[in-house]
Amino acid sequence: EIPSKIDGTFTVDGFKIPKNAMAGTWKINVSSGANLNSVEFEVIEVENDAILIDAGLMFPEEDMLGVDLVIPNFDYVYENAKKFRALFVTHAHEDHVGAIPYLLKNINVPIYGTKLTLGIIRAKLREFKMNPKMIEIDDHKIYNIGDFAIEPIRVTHSIVDGVGFAITHDVGTIVHTGDFKIDHTPVDGKPLDILKFSEYGSKGVKLLMSDSTNANVRGFTGSERAVGKALSIIFANAKKRILLVTFASNIHRVQQVINIAEKLGKKVCISGKSMVQNSNIAKELGYLNVPDGILISDSDLDSYPDENVVIITTGSQGEPMSGLSRIAFDEHKKIKVKPTDTIIISAKTIPGNEKAALKVINSLAKKGVDLFYEQNSNVHVSGHASQEELKFMISVTKPEYFMPIHGEYMMRRSHSKIAETLGVNPRNILNIDNGDVVKVTKKGVAMDGRIKSGRVFIDGKNSEGVQDVVLHDRMKLSTEGFVAIIVAIDDKTGEIGGDPQIIIRGLTHDEKSQKLVSEASAMIKNLVNQSNIDMKTDAYEIKKKIRKAMGKFLYKKLKKNPMILPIIL
């Protein structure tokens, strides 16, 4: 917010503000969804105050070798740390809360979230020995933070206790939906608060920021209860033991499995660190109702007949260390697959994880089990709104301006087209990307440059992140191989001492490499002897010459561009 007209031109964050700038300016800095396996993170700021909405992580893609996690670049937040008043969290999925421990290493802000969301965050922060201030929020209550008035609005999603936010300032109201779908029959009996969204629509919504993940899916997203009906039939017809795989955060799915197992007189074993942790948190906070005596540990499985046992675990994405992967490849200490098992993968494969998930499914199929998954049964529904629900959200909020968020760029474009069909002026639709800044004033909404954004790669204990160049080196090593050339040179005469040592890895087999090494060694020796080296000044230059000559040699011989490391002794 610029509180009064400016007499002269000045610069903020690299952007020139012209003289006579209008009062009342917002900036929304967006880092929201490079792809479905994405991180969600938005900044909304005025002159003296700023808030964060979510701080998620993503899991590494195939080309991110050695990387454990990927988080947003928080540099802009750190550079403006004095302005930030709070972090508001929509729900407890990893792509919305996973980066919070890394964010809080360099900034101290209170966290606002619902009871279950804070419970999961608190457990996560305990591992990092962090204990920030946390404020439990209720829908229908307005929180005044700096110059903002923020009201949570209940939504339904694939995790319990999700909310969107209405953020009001003198300039107008922004409605941020969070991740949502419109489920009229949710398992907990708490549907999306259509009335509250409608009330804000009646008052006037300046800008709607809406989830676009299912913008390419026609119709309506199914109710979670439909999954329960499908599971009931599969459970009743299962030959022996049942193993169900789902996301650890899907408390409604776990509740339905427990309910069905109780009706059929079966015991339930919850397995896997994240599944056990989230289930315990949900049980302690009253979100998971577990009848006495129904739960057993994986150590007790052999004490019950297979037909009386249901196992719930994680690993629907084929993660190497997950419960399902270890079970599928006979690496689990206590759970071994039997041909009489019924295995249900009650989750959608996230784009990019297809190969890993298929590998696990194939391994299970070879063991002769009965397999049920999204493609051959109704064992999963999405947690995101499809096209008709997205239309409904736009219709009830009646936004003057519209910004699709989350999901792939093409999904956000599809969401923009949906808004156009409902009468939103195409000039009032903002198709944003990571790092874009959107300016909101009383006169309108428009793009306003970019800020530094991007991704930070977390590798082991290196919380500062791995640079792109390191990943590039790892990729080159994995695809092109590695060559080390060790050359001993007399620093007085400049003459080479003996034959260069050449070590080749990942390029060719032993017999061929011996001949290659012999030819390369002679070539390097000849190069050095002809270079008239002064070792005090030319060591760097001779390394460059060796690297270039060896690169040409190997490409001519093998059509490869390996990493080449010359070492001068």
Side-chain angles (χ1 to χ4, degrees):
E1 180 183 18
I2 302 170
S4 60
K5 291 188 177 182
I6 307 302
D7 293 332
T9 300
F10 68 104
T11 301
V12 177
D13 302 323
F15 300 118
K16 287 185 177 179
I17 308 296
K19 62 182 179 180
N20 298 321
M22 294 301 298
T25 298
W26 285 18
K27 290 198 299 183
I28 305 169
N29 305 324
V30 179
S31 174
S32 182
N35 51 38
L36 282 179
N37 182 14
S38 64
V39 294
E40 313 299 352
F41 159 54
E42 287 96 26
V43 168
I44 298 180
E45 64 174 299
V46 292
E47 185 190 21
N48 298 313
D49 302 300
I51 60 169
L52 285 151
I53 299 179
D54 293 338
L57 59 74
M58 62 179 273
F59 295 102
E61 296 167 355
E62 286 185 358
D63 60 346
M64 299 176 186
L65 302 178
V67 172
D68 298 313
L69 303 169
V70 184
I71 65 172
N73 185 318
F74 291 121
D75 284 355
Y76 184 83
V77 178
Y78 301 149
E79 290 164 7
N80 297 275
K82 292 181 180 179
K83 292 183 64 172
F84 282 88
R85 306 289 173 245
L87 166 63
F88 280 82
V89 183
T90 58
H91 63 285
H93 278 152
E94 281 294 285
D95 59 336
H96 293 257
V97 303
I100 291 176
Y102 302 95
L103 170 71
L104 295 183
K105 285 186 176 182
N106 294 305
I107 188 172
N108 182 24
V109 291
I111 302 171
Y112 288 74
T114 56
K115 185 189 290 185
L116 179 67
T117 299
L118 292 185
I120 291 175
I121 293 172
R122 191 173 284 110
K124 184 183 297 295
L125 293 178
R126 201 174 294 131
E127 296 180 18
F128 288 80
K129 297 180 180 179
M130 292 180 174
N131 187 30
K133 183 179 180 181
M134 294 190 183
I135 295 94
E136 184 181 323
I137 58 176
D138 297 316
D139 49 311
H140 296 297
K141 183 176 179 181
I142 295 175
Y143 297 84
N144 293 301
I145 309 293
D147 287 336
F148 298 111
I150 302 163
E151 182 172 12
I153 308 176
R154 185 175 62 246
V155 299
T156 44
H157 185 41
S158 54
I159 187 172
V160 184
D161 238 8
V163 291
F165 294 109
I167 305 158
T168 302
H169 181 270
D170 290 344
V171 174
T173 296
I174 294 174
V175 169
H176 186 299
T177 67
D179 285 357
F180 81 99
K181 70 176 184 179
I182 300 176
D183 189 343
H184 296 291
T185 58
V187 174
D188 62 359
K190 296 178 180 179
L192 177 142
D193 193 344
I194 295 171
L195 180 60
K196 181 56 65 176
F197 281 109
S198 181
E199 284 178 5
Y200 274 100
S202 299
K203 295 175 187 175
V205 171
K206 190 77 172 183
L207 174 67
L208 172 64
M209 301 169 67
S210 184
D211 176 17
S212 308
T213 308
N214 272 359
N216 288 329
V217 180
R218 294 180 180 178
F220 295 85
T221 301
S223 171
E224 178 63 28
R225 287 189 185 272
V227 176
K229 292 178 182 178
L231 294 179
S232 293
I233 295 170
I234 295 171
F235 277 38
N237 293 309
K239 298 172 188 173
K240 294 281 185 176
R241 189 174 62 173
I242 298 167
L243 192 152
L244 183 133
V245 184
T246 190
F247 292 115
S249 59
N250 201 333
I251 303 302
H252 282 162
R253 195 78 42 92
V254 174
Q255 182 68 71
Q256 292 196 99
V257 171
I258 289 173
N259 293 346
I260 297 165
E262 183 190 22
K263 287 181 182 178
L264 297 174
K266 298 178 184 290
K267 299 292 185 180
V268 176
C269 168
I270 296 177
S271 178
K273 180 183 176 183
S274 59
M275 181 66 78
V276 171
Q277 177 177 279
N278 285 0
S279 297
N280 286 339
I281 292 169
K283 183 180 176 184
E284 290 169 10
L285 298 178
Y287 292 90
L288 189 64
N289 179 28
V290 181
D292 292 338
I294 196 170
L295 291 183
I296 60 173
S297 72
D298 51 13
S299 300
D300 298 328
L301 288 172
D302 292 337
S303 302
Y304 296 88
D306 284 350
E307 58 268 25
N308 290 345
V309 171
V310 177
I311 301 168
I312 308 174
T313 190
T314 58
S316 60
Q317 306 306 306
E319 308 97 308
M321 297 305 294
S322 67
L324 182 63
S325 288
R326 288 184 289 125
I327 292 167
F329 299 111
D330 298 321
E331 295 171 356
H332 199 285
K333 293 180 179 178
K334 297 177 180 177
I335 303 173
K336 304 298 179 185
V337 176
K338 302 176 183 180
T340 54
D341 286 346
T342 295
I343 297 182
I344 305 164
I345 301 177
S346 185
K348 182 181 180 66
T349 304
I350 296 170
N353 296 340
E354 293 91 348
K355 285 184 179 179
L358 188 59
K359 186 178 178 182
V360 170
I361 290 173
N362 279 332
S363 180
L364 293 169
K366 288 177 182 178
K367 299 179 187 299
V369 303
D370 288 335
L371 265 174
F372 296 88
Y373 45 95
E374 190 181 30
Q375 285 80 1
N376 69 3
S377 56
N378 298 318
V379 294
H380 177 69
V381 293
S382 174
H384 299 273
S386 297
Q387 289 181 356
E388 296 306 314
E389 294 149 276
L390 297 177
K391 290 177 183 177
F392 187 80
M393 179 61 72
I394 295 169
S395 297
V396 298
T397 55
K398 305 182 185 72
E400 184 180 352
Y401 292 85
F402 177 69
M403 181 196 297
I405 57 173
H406 304 175
E408 301 276 3
Y409 191 85
M410 57 98 169
M411 296 168 185
R412 303 199 293 274
R413 286 290 295 171
S414 295
H415 203 172
S416 296
K417 296 295 182 184
I418 290 170
E420 284 186 42
T421 65
L422 296 172
V424 180
N425 190 327
R427 289 178 295 182
N428 290 5
I429 298 173
L430 299 125
N431 291 300
I432 50 84
D433 212 342
N434 291 341
D436 286 339
V437 177
V438 174
K439 181 173 70 174
V440 183
T441 69
K442 290 182 178 179
K443 287 192 171 183
V445 176
M447 306 293 286
D448 190 39
R450 291 180 57 79
I451 61 164
K452 183 179 180 181
S453 66
R455 301 179 295 186
V456 175
F457 305 106
I458 303 299
D459 184 357
K461 292 186 177 180
N462 183 3
S463 62
E464 299 302 316
V466 177
Q467 299 299 315
D468 283 333
V469 66
V470 177
L471 294 188
H472 178 266
D473 287 349
R474 290 177 182 176
M475 180 59 69
K476 190 161 188 174
L477 285 167
S478 71
T479 57
E480 301 285 349
F482 172 80
V483 178
I485 305 161
I486 305 170
V487 182
I489 299 176
D490 189 307
D491 61 358
K492 294 178 181 177
T493 66
E495 293 179 355
I496 193 165
D499 294 332
Q501 275 190 285
I502 299 178
I503 302 167
I504 292 179
R505 292 290 182 269
L507 272 171
T508 182
H509 58 82
D510 288 344
E511 290 181 11
K512 193 171 183 179
S513 67
Q514 288 176 6
K515 183 181 178 183
L516 198 71
V517 166
S518 179
E519 292 179 24
S521 179
M523 184 269 295
I524 296 297
K525 188 173 184 178
N526 187 47
L527 172 71
V528 174
N529 285 335
Q530 292 178 0
S531 296
N532 299 319
I533 302 170
D534 178 356
M535 282 303 294
K536 293 180 180 178
T537 58
D538 292 347
Y540 176 74
E541 288 301 318
I542 192 60
K543 284 184 181 181
K544 281 175 61 178
K545 286 184 178 182
I546 292 173
R547 188 180 290 114
K548 185 176 181 180
M550 192 65 171
K552 286 183 177 180
F553 174 81
L554 291 172
Y555 187 80
K556 182 179 179 180
K557 294 287 185 181
L558 301 174
K559 291 293 186 288
K560 286 284 187 180
N561 291 300
M563 181 177 287
I564 298 170
L565 180 64
I567 301 170
I568 306 296
L569 303 179

